[in-house]
């Protein structure tokens, strides 16, 4: 009995440990990496850096138990020395997000079209490159881009948060539906002495024999 008790206790400890590890893993916040904006509008380094910092600031409005915003310095320590985040476009954006361990990567591009400045901001899911959302803002000056960009970023991260909430509430248990019964339900009718069973398509009727 002593050996059986010890083995049972050992199993219980292992199961509890695994449950704790699974809970911690499930609760780990998703990491968001915001890369430096690609500057095609002739902005100064400080101006372009201001816009990427603005996006990071807006990202911190997300629930901290669900999302963690990576800093510029944190990302650079994980990348090869000399990496320029502002010269990363196309597939490089998603690949860089993966390299720094991010779940989502946000990128921006600034251009000047005639006399108008335009910013395009996009968010990709790093595991498969899926485009979660994207927005574009315009302004007659660099200063005019700040307010609309902040507004679009709030919309961007609100959408991400709503997608996360939907994924959390939709579990395998809640997705299951009750099995449906098709066709007539079979019934068992016991025929006693002096009775006969008449079968129909959907039910059974019992008629008494005429005496």
């Amino acid at each position: 009995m002593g050996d059986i008790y010890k083995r049972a206790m050992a199993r219980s400890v292992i199961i509890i440990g695994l449950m704790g590890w699974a809970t911690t893993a499930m609760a780990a916040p998703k990491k968001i990496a915001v890369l430096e904006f690609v500057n095609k509008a002739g902005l100064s380094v400080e101006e372009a850096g201001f816009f990427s910092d603005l996006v990071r600031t807006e990202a911190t409005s997300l629930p901290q138990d669900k999302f963690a915003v990576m800093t510029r310095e944190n990302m650079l320590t994980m990348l090869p020395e000399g990496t320029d985040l502002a010269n990363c476009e196309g597939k490089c954006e998603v690949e860089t997000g993966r390299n720094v361990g991010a779940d989502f990567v946000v990128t921006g591009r600034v251009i000047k079209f005639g006399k108008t400045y335009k910013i395009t901001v996009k968010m990709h899911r790093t595991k498969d490159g899926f485009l979660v959302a994207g927005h574009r803002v315009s302004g007659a000056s660099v200063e005019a881009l700040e307010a609309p960009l902040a507004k679009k970023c709030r919309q961007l991260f609100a959408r991400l948060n709503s997608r996360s909430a939907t994924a959390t509430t939709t579990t395998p248990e809640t997705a299951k539906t009750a099995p449906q019964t098709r066709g007539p339900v079979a019934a068992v009718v016991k025929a006693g002495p002096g009775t006969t069973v008449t079968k129909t398509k959907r039910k059974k009727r019992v008629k008494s024999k005429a005496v």
Side-chain angles (χ1 to χ4, degrees):
M1 290 294 291
D3 291 340
I4 295 175
Y5 176 76
K6 289 180 181 179
R7 286 197 294 270
M9 289 297 295
R11 291 194 194 98
S12 299
V13 171
I14 293 172
I15 292 171
I16 293 172
L18 289 173
M19 289 175 64
W21 174 84
T23 302
T24 302
M26 290 175 63
K30 300 291 185 180
K31 293 182 179 180
I32 300 174
V34 180
L35 304 189
E36 299 306 305
F37 277 31
V38 176
N39 181 11
K40 299 294 184 180
L43 275 60
S44 66
V45 175
E46 291 76 15
E47 288 172 332
F50 170 80
F51 289 124
S52 58
D53 284 338
L54 185 151
V55 177
R56 291 188 188 96
T57 301
E58 292 298 334
T60 58
S61 64
L62 288 165
Q64 295 185 3
D65 60 328
K66 295 181 181 178
F67 301 97
V69 183
M70 305 180 71
T71 65
R72 179 188 292 108
E73 294 73 20
N74 184 235
M75 289 186 289
L76 289 175
T77 59
M78 300 181 184
L79 296 170
E81 188 176 351
T83 299
D84 186 0
L85 295 177
N87 287 328
C88 187
E89 297 185 75
K91 293 181 180 180
C92 172
E93 300 170 343
V94 176
E95 189 62 33
T96 299
R98 291 180 187 142
N99 291 339
V100 298
D103 298 284
F104 300 93
V105 59
V106 182
T107 57
R109 180 183 175 90
V110 190
I111 66 169
K112 189 175 183 182
F113 189 75
K115 296 182 179 181
T116 304
Y117 291 92
K118 296 181 181 293
I119 289 182
T120 301
V121 61
K122 297 180 293 183
M123 178 188 292
H124 287 88
R125 188 169 58 201
T126 57
K127 70 176 182 179
D128 54 8
F130 174 74
L131 178 62
V132 178
H135 293 289
R136 179 180 299 164
V137 299
S138 302
S141 64
V142 176
E143 294 84 354
L145 295 170
E146 180 181 356
L149 178 61
K151 180 179 179 180
K152 290 298 183 182
C153 286
R154 286 192 289 271
Q155 295 175 4
L156 184 77
F157 294 124
R159 180 172 181 179
L160 176 63
N161 190 32
S162 65
R163 288 173 63 90
S164 174
T166 302
T168 302
T169 55
T170 305
T171 62
E173 287 75 15
T174 57
K176 290 179 181 177
T177 56
Q180 297 180 350
T181 304
R182 295 182 179 180
V185 178
V188 178
V189 179
K190 293 183 179 180
T195 62
T196 181
V197 178
T198 302
K199 294 183 179 180
T200 64
K201 196 171 185 178
R202 289 189 172 274
K203 60 182 180 178
K204 295 182 179 181
R205 293 182 298 182
V206 178
K207 290 186 177 180
S208 299
K209 263 187 180 179
V211 178

